[in-house]
Amino acid sequence: MVNLSTFYNLNIYNTEGKYIGKVNEVVLNIKKGRISFFKTKALTEDNRNAGLRDVIRNSMRLVPEEEEFSTVRTEGIIDIPYEIVTAVGDIIIIDQNKLLQYQAAQQRMDKVNNNRKQTYKKEVPKAN
């Protein structure tokens, strides 16, 4: 068993050695009893220090199973599905190819959802 607090502020790198960010939120699936996502701010290598206020402000989030993949989008936040994590120790290493596939799928879903919203707006008559 692992304490969730051990994940906070761990540096995340991809399999190509590129710095991704630091864990600032852990999203749990409470029905399955496992980690669903790590969330990190998109950071550069030069801006890697996170303050205590960031850690306290960004606590863990519990999500039901059906909402697991409809994640909340926040600008500048990267969702990292736990399935693409290849190693956890002093740092977290993620599979770069799987991250790119996941991000491409998310962009396609966002595009479909935006198209649905625009279609819905066109179909709803305005009240006078």
Side-chain angles (χ1 to χ4, degrees), residues 8-69:
Y8 289 106
N9 285 328
L10 282 182
N11 291 320
I12 303 171
Y13 289 85
N14 65 21
T15 50
E16 296 173 357
K18 180 182 174 195
Y19 180 74
I20 304 297
K22 283 185 184 248
V23 174
N24 64 9
E25 189 173 345
V26 179
V27 180
L28 299 176
N29 181 321
I30 55 175
K31 287 186 179 180
K32 291 185 178 181
R34 66 178 180 86
I35 296 172
S36 293
F37 292 93
F38 290 126
K39 290 189 177 270
T40 182
K41 290 183 182 177
L43 299 175
T44 63
E45 185 73 28
D46 297 334
N47 190 13
R48 295 191 326 178
N49 297 327
L52 180 60
R53 184 172 37 168
D54 291 334
V55 174
I56 292 170
R57 186 180 330 142
N58 299 313
S59 62
M60 69 179 161
R61 179 180 299 163
L62 304 175
V63 293
E65 186 174 356
E66 60 271 6
E67 294 179 10
E68 180 177 18
F69 293 107

Side-chain angles (χ1 to χ4, degrees), residues 113-125:
N113 288 335
N114 287 337
N115 287 340
R116 286 182 184 161
K117 286 178 186 177
Q118 289 175 355
T119 301
Y120 178 75
K121 285 179 183 178
K122 290 177 185 176
E123 292 175 358
V124 175

